[in-house]
Amino acid sequence: MENNNVKVKKSFKTQLQPIAKGFKKVIGFIIKNWFFVLFPCRLFKELIYDKMRYEKQKLFISWLFLAPTLLGFILFFAYPLVMSLLYSFSSVEPNGTFHFSEFFAKVGTQYDYTQVISTDILNNYKYALRVNADFPVSLWNTSLNTVIDTAVITIFSLLLAVMLNGKFKGRAFVRAIFFLPVVFNSEAITAALAAAEGVDAVLNSSGSEALTQLFDLEQFMQGIGVPVQLVTFLSGITSTIYRTISYSGIQILIFLTAIQSVPKHLYEAATIEGATGYEQFWKITLPMVSPMILTVVVYTIVDSFLRSEIGDVMDTVYNNNEYGYYAAMSWLYILASLLIMGIIVGILSKVVFYYDDKK
Amino acid sequence: MMTRNKKKELKKQHVQELENNTPIVEEPKEDKKTKEPTWSHIKRLSKETYTEIVSDLKNPVKRAVMRRKTSMRLVSILRGFIFLGLSFVIVFPIFQEVSLAFRHPIDLNNKLVNWIPETFSLFNFDLSKVLLDYWRGLWCNLKVSTISTICQLFATSLAGYAFSRLKFRGSNLIFWLIMLTLIVPPQAISLARTFFLDDFDILRFNFFGLWDNPGLFESLLGHGLRLKGEGKDIVFYITSLTGQGIRAALFIYLFRQFFRGIPIELEESAQIDGAGVVRTFWSVMLPNARGVITTVALFAFVWQWNDTYYTGMYQISGETFPMLTRKLISMSERIAGIISQPHYQDFLDQVGEGIAKNPLFVQVILNTAALMLMAPLIIGYLFVQRLFIEGVERSGIVG
C-alpha cells in the first residue's frame, strides 16, 4: 500500500507540472505586458463602449457573449458538417485528402489511387444501401425502435413527473433515487458488460431463474387468450423497464420543471369548480405542458438514435478506414433521424397549445 | 378546508366530552364490574358513530368529501406501490453489484451464496484496481471532467443569457442553428472533426485549388497544431469553451429558458440603479441561477465522466494518460494476461488455473471495476443531490 501511495504522489506532481507551467506563463505574460494587453481594452471601453447608448451596449455585449459559441459552431460543427457532406460524395484517403466523385480500385486491403473505377457521385450511398448487408437492416430497426422508444419514454416520464410533483412523504428521497440512473447510466459500463458474456449466468446462479419460471406471466396471459403480439409488446416494455427508467431521467426533469411553472391559479379555479385530479391532468396539466412534449420528443429521438445498434455498424466501417462509406452512412443516418423527427413533430405541433401568460 | 377543520374541532370537542364524562362513570365502579360498563360504553360509542356515518351518507356534501378522501388515499397507496417498485428496479442492480464485488472468486460457483458472501474479500477490488490503473485514471478523469465542466458552464451560460435577454434581429435564427448541433449526431461530424483536429489551423481554405490559403498557424509556426492523440486533453477544454462540448446545446437551451423566466423588472431596476449589461448579468442574474447552474454542472460532469465516444474518437487515453472508461472497455481482454503473472500465483493455486476463462469471474471483475468507476460519482451525488433537487424545484427552468 505504501508503495502505491508514493506512486500516486509522484504522478500527481507530474500531472500538475504542465498546468502550473502554463499558468505561470500566462500570468507572467500578463505581468510583463499588462500595459499592451489591458491598455487597448481600457481605451476601447472609455472611448467607444461607454459612449454607446444602452441598447447598443446590449447589442455589443450580446455578440461578445455569443462569440465563443459562434466560433465553436463554425470551427467544430459547420465546417466538419460541410466536409463530411463532401466526403460522402468522394473517396477519402486515411490521411484525410479526398477525391471528389472519383472512386478507386481496391488491391488487397489497400486502395490503388491511380486506377479510377467509377465516377458515379452516389457511389458511397449505393454501397451503404445495396452492398453493405448490415446497414439497411440496422437503419430500419433503429428507426422502428426509436419510434417505439420515444412513445414509451415520453408517456412514462410525463406520468412519473406528474406523480413526483405531488406532495407526499419522502418526496426528496424518491426524487434522489429517480435521478440516480442519470448518474449511473454509462455507455462504458454497458459496453464492458456486453464484452463479457453471462449477465444471465450471474443472475441464474443467484437463483432468480426459478422465480421467473414459477411466475411466467407471459404464458399465463397467452393462455387467457390475450393476443400474442400484445403480450410480446407488453413483456418487451416490462423487461426493458430498467432501460426505460435509466433513459428518461432528463425527460422527467424537463416535465417536472414544466409542471411546476404552470400558474397555480388555474388549479385553484379548477378545484373550486369541483374538477377531480384526473380532469385537472387532462384539462390543465397536459395542455400547459404540451410545448415541452415537443422538446422531450426531439431529445428522446436524438438520444435513442445515439444509443442504437447503427453506431456499431458504422464503427466497423470506420475501423476499416472506409471513410467515404462512413460519411455516406452518417448522412443517411442524419436524414433518417430528421425524417422521423419531422413526421412526429409535424403531427404534434398541430396539437400543441401555447398559453400566453406574458400580458 | 373549512368543513374539515370544523369537523375536526367538533370531533375534538366530542372526545373531550367523552373523556370528561367517562371517569365520572367509571370511578365508583372500580372494584367489581370492570367489564360491563366499558362494554356498554363501547356499544354506545359504536352506535353513535354508526348513526353519524349513516347521517353523513345521507348528506350529499359529506358524501362527496368522503369520496374525494378515499380516492386520494387510494391514489397515494397506488403511488406508493409504483414508487416502491420502480425504486427497487433502480436500486436492486446496485446492491447486486456491491454484493458481487465483495465476493471472493471461490464463492462464484457456490449455490449457497446468494447475497452475503461466505468468504469476504477485497480481491476483486485489488485486481480491478491494477487493471484500471485506478488512481492515475481517477486523477485524469477528475481533471478532464472538472475543467471541461467549468468551461461548459462559462460558454453555455453566456450564450443562454445572450439568447434570452440580449436579443437582436436574427438571434432566434442563430439559436435554432445552434440547436442543430444537438440534433445532428456526433458520428456525422466526427470524421471531419478528427481530420481537422489532427492538423488544427484557423483560416485555412483550399477551395478546389482555386483559392488556397495556408492558414494562421502554418504561416506562423510552419505546421498546424496537433490537438488529437494521447494525453491531449486540451481538445475537451477547447471544444467546451467554444460551446461544442458534450450536449452543450441542451445546456444553452436550459439557461435560455431559465433567464427568460426571470422577471424583466429585475433587470430594469438594476439598469436604473446604474448597473451596466455585464454587471446586471454577473450580480443580478447569475446569483438567481444557482439551481440551473447546479443542474448543468452535474450533467456536464457526469456525461464527461462517462463519455467513451469522444475519448475514443480523439484517442486521448493511453499509458501516460489513462482514462477509466476506455480502460474499462478494453478490460475483459486483459484479465487473462494479468492473472497469469507470478504475483497472483497464490490466488491461482487457491482457485484453479482455469479461472480466467470462467465467464462468471470475468463478469464479476468487470462489475467491480464498473462500481469503482461509479463510486466517485455516487459519493459526489450524495453531496450535490439536495442542492440539485432543490434547484429543480425552484429554478422553473421552463419560462
Side-chain angles (χ1 to χ4, degrees):
Chain A
M1 284 304 287
E2 279 183 1
N3 273 331
N4 260 336
N5 282 335
V6 171
K7 264 185 198 171
V8 170
K9 272 177 191 169
K10 268 186 185 172
S11 67
F12 267 44
K13 266 189 184 172
T14 47
Q15 290 289 348
L16 272 175
Q17 268 168 2
I19 300 177
K21 266 186 189 172
F23 198 65
K24 267 182 192 167
K25 259 188 189 173
V26 172
I27 295 289
F29 183 80
I30 290 175
I31 287 171
K32 275 176 201 162
N33 304 305
W34 67 270
F35 186 77
F36 299 102
V37 175
L38 294 181
F39 187 66
C41 297
R42 186 92 199 174
L43 213 63
F44 174 81
K45 189 178 178 293
E46 278 176 5
L47 286 184
I48 301 174
Y49 179 76
D50 283 352
K51 284 178 184 167
M52 285 183 197
R53 289 190 13 239
Y54 187 70
E55 291 305 311
K56 279 227 168 158
Q57 282 185 357
K58 256 181 150 179
L59 188 70
F60 174 75
I61 295 294
S62 178
W63 279 102
L64 194 71
F65 279 8
L66 285 181
T69 311
L70 286 179
L71 188 73
F73 179 80
I74 292 165
L75 282 183
F76 299 116
F77 182 77
Y79 171 74
L81 196 68
V82 172
M83 286 310 280
S84 88
L85 186 62
L86 280 180
Y87 288 157
S88 73
F89 294 120
S90 48
S91 60
V92 186
E93 287 181 37
N95 62 7
T97 51
F98 65 100
H99 310 268
F100 187 72
S101 190
E102 283 177 322
F103 300 96
F104 303 99
K106 203 169 187 178
V107 182
T109 55
Q110 296 288 315
Y111 280 96
D112 180 8
Y113 290 103
T114 51
Q115 273 182 284
V116 177
I117 303 180
S118 130
T119 53
D120 183 4
I121 197 164
L122 288 176
N123 187 49
N124 290 331
Y125 289 92
K126 279 177 183 165
Y127 168 84
L129 289 176
R130 290 193 192 154
V131 182
N132 192 309
D134 299 329
F135 186 74
V137 179
S138 66
L139 190 65
W140 175 249
N141 285 344
T142 303
S143 310
L144 212 62
N145 285 342
T146 300
V147 173
I148 295 171
D149 267 9
T150 308
V152 170
I153 288 179
T154 309
I155 293 168
F156 179 78
S157 55
L158 180 58
L159 290 182
L160 270 187
V162 169
M163 286 201 289
L164 282 174
N165 188 46
K167 275 185 181 158
F168 53 92
K169 272 179 190 170
R171 182 167 69 159
F173 181 71
V174 172
R175 280 190 186 176
I177 287 184
F178 271 72
F179 292 119
L180 202 62
V182 177
V183 179
F184 244 1
N185 170 26
S186 164
E187 294 160 41
I189 291 175
T190 7
L193 292 184
E197 40 177 35
V199 186
D200 290 334
V202 176
L203 284 177
N204 289 347
S205 76
S206 60
S208 63
E209 191 189 22
L211 205 72
T212 52
Q213 278 175 357
L214 198 72
F215 188 68
D216 198 342
L217 194 66
E218 215 170 312
Q219 259 184 355
F220 174 72
M221 277 168 81
Q222 278 181 17
I224 284 181
V226 182
V228 181
Q229 284 162 333
L230 186 67
V231 172
T232 46
F233 179 69
L234 284 177
S235 67
I237 288 178
T238 47
S239 68
T240 57
I241 189 107
Y242 179 69
R243 222 173 58 99
T244 312
I245 293 176
S246 56
Y247 293 148
S248 46
I250 299 259
Q251 286 86 335
I252 294 175
L253 192 76
I254 292 175
F255 276 137
L256 203 58
T257 49
I259 291 171
Q260 274 163 8
S261 70
V262 175
K264 293 282 176 293
H265 59 78
L266 293 179
Y267 287 111
E268 279 164 14
T271 323
I272 288 167
E273 297 286 341
T276 58
Y278 181 76
E279 283 165 342
Q280 284 179 14
F281 172 75
W282 288 104
K283 299 263 161 71
I284 300 175
T285 311
L286 196 63
M288 293 302 287
V289 168
S290 62
M292 280 301 116
I293 292 180
L294 219 59
T295 316
V296 164
V297 162
V298 169
Y299 180 79
T300 314
I301 291 172
V302 172
D303 203 38
S304 65
F305 252 92
L306 279 184
R307 274 182 276 100
S308 57
E309 53 177 314
I310 205 166
D312 303 332
V313 177
M314 284 165 65
D315 279 348
T316 46
V317 177
Y318 184 82
N319 292 335
N320 292 340
N321 291 348
E322 307 272 18
Y323 295 141
Y325 298 151
Y326 181 81
M329 282 177 181
S330 56
W331 269 91
L332 286 171
Y333 172 9
I334 295 179
L335 289 181
S337 67
L338 283 182
L339 189 71
I340 291 174
M341 220 176 281
I343 292 171
I344 295 183
V345 169
I347 294 168
L348 278 181
S349 61
K350 286 189 177 166
V351 219
V352 166
F353 166 81
Y354 288 99
Y355 174 85
D356 206 4
D357 197 24
K358 284 162 192 165
K359 291 156 203 172
Chain B
M1 290 300 286
M2 284 299 287
T3 52
R4 197 187 291 168
N5 282 341
K6 270 187 184 172
K7 209 180 169 188
K8 269 185 183 174
E9 278 172 17
L10 279 176
K11 264 192 178 177
K12 265 186 184 174
Q13 280 179 4
H14 191 68
V15 170
Q16 271 181 353
E17 278 171 18
L18 280 178
E19 278 176 354
N20 291 336
N21 289 338
T22 40
I24 305 163
V25 182
E26 274 182 326
E27 270 174 25
K29 294 160 191 174
E30 260 182 29
D31 313 317
K32 293 169 189 175
K33 298 173 182 177
T34 43
K35 275 191 178 178
E36 269 193 18
T38 47
W39 178 240
S40 68
H41 172 66
I42 289 169
K43 232 179 178 178
R44 193 163 55 100
L45 251 181
S46 62
K47 206 172 184 181
E48 271 175 14
T49 46
Y50 175 75
T51 50
E52 197 186 331
I53 288 171
V54 167
S55 66
D56 278 5
L57 278 176
K58 278 173 186 167
N59 188 347
V61 177
K62 283 194 175 174
R63 211 160 56 196
V65 169
M66 275 166 74
R67 196 194 296 151
R68 172 162 286 179
K69 265 188 181 174
T70 45
S71 75
M72 272 170 73
R73 209 161 286 167
L74 272 178
V75 163
S76 72
I77 289 170
L78 192 70
R79 185 167 57 195
F81 268 112
I82 291 173
F83 282 152
L84 212 66
L86 290 179
S87 305
F88 175 76
V89 168
I90 293 168
V91 175
F92 178 73
I94 303 171
F95 275 122
Q96 205 174 31
E97 278 190 5
V98 171
S99 156
L100 276 174
F102 283 108
R103 202 177 290 188
H104 195 270
I106 296 175
D107 278 0
L108 278 184
N109 290 326
N110 189 348
K111 288 261 175 188
L112 290 174
V113 178
N114 209 344
W115 280 100
I116 302 161
E118 203 170 84
T119 23
F120 195 79
S121 89
L122 292 174
F123 173 81
N124 296 330
F125 286 99
D126 283 338
L127 187 62
S128 32
K129 198 170 79 187
V130 175
L131 279 166
L132 280 177
D133 202 351
Y134 190 65
W135 295 116
R136 285 175 60 215
L138 192 68
W139 165 244
C140 293
N141 260 29
L142 268 179
K143 180 184 152 197
V144 168
S145 301
T146 314
I147 299 179
S148 60
T149 301
I150 292 167
C151 294
Q152 288 247 39
L153 273 180
F154 175 77
T156 55
S157 64
L158 288 185
Y161 186 65
F163 282 132
S164 64
R165 275 305 158 82
L166 309 173
K167 279 191 173 177
F168 50 90
R169 189 177 288 178
S171 79
N172 263 340
L173 182 75
I174 298 177
F175 174 71
W176 288 112
L177 273 179
I178 284 179
M179 284 303 112
L180 207 65
T181 58
L182 194 67
I183 294 168
V184 170
Q187 275 98 339
I189 51 169
S190 67
L191 177 69
R193 208 192 250 189
T194 38
F195 284 146
F196 182 50
L197 288 171
D198 209 18
D199 193 10
F200 180 76
D201 219 331
I202 303 171
L203 300 172
R204 175 196 287 162
F205 304 105
N206 188 358
F207 195 73
F208 296 109
L210 292 174
W211 182 19
D212 199 351
N213 194 17
L216 186 68
F217 291 117
E218 198 166 325
S219 47
L220 281 177
L221 305 168
H223 56 84
L225 297 178
R226 191 161 190 276
L227 290 181
K228 194 194 100 187
E230 201 177 314
K232 296 273 170 106
D233 51 337
I234 191 170
V235 63
F236 281 128
Y237 315 143
I238 290 177
T239 48
S240 304
L241 206 56
T242 51
Q244 291 295 316
I246 297 171
R247 298 191 202 178
L250 183 72
F251 302 146
I252 291 177
Y253 181 83
L254 290 180
F255 269 117
R256 172 178 176 262
Q257 295 298 80
F258 172 75
F259 286 129
R260 258 167 61 162
I262 289 183
I264 199 152
E265 286 80 8
L266 214 63
E267 194 187 317
E268 281 166 358
S269 62
Q271 189 196 335
I272 287 166
D273 283 350
V277 184
V278 181
R279 180 83 190 211
T280 313
F281 172 68
W282 183 256
S283 9
V284 177
M285 294 301 186
L286 270 193
N288 277 314
R290 216 177 60 184
V292 199
I293 291 175
T294 323
T295 314
V296 168
L298 182 85
F299 282 128
F301 191 88
V302 166
W303 282 336
Q304 183 67 55
W305 184 277
N306 286 340
D307 168 66
T308 55
Y309 183 76
Y310 288 102
T311 21
M313 196 173 92
Y314 302 142
Q315 296 160 352
I316 283 164
S317 178
E319 273 311 304
T320 54
F321 198 83
M323 299 280 285
L324 289 179
T325 43
R326 296 307 299 181
K327 285 267 171 188
L328 182 64
I329 283 181
S330 66
M331 226 173 88
S332 55
E333 303 142 23
R334 288 182 289 128
I335 288 179
I338 289 276
I339 243 358
S340 60
Q341 280 177 4
H343 180 68
Y344 292 102
Q345 197 54 48
D346 291 345
F347 168 72
L348 282 183
D349 291 341
Q350 198 181 358
V351 184
E353 291 284 337
I355 188 76
K357 282 172 192 159
N358 188 345
L360 263 180
F361 175 69
V362 176
Q363 187 70 31
V364 167
I365 296 294
L366 280 174
N367 253 324
T368 316
L371 206 63
M372 285 171 80
L373 172 70
M374 287 291 116
L377 286 186
I378 299 172
I379 294 166
Y381 182 71
L382 287 181
F383 283 112
V384 184
Q385 170 258 115
R386 179 156 293 180
L387 200 64
F388 168 62
I389 284 159
E390 179 193 324
V392 170
E393 222 150 85
R394 281 193 311 153
S395 64
I397 290 173
V398 184

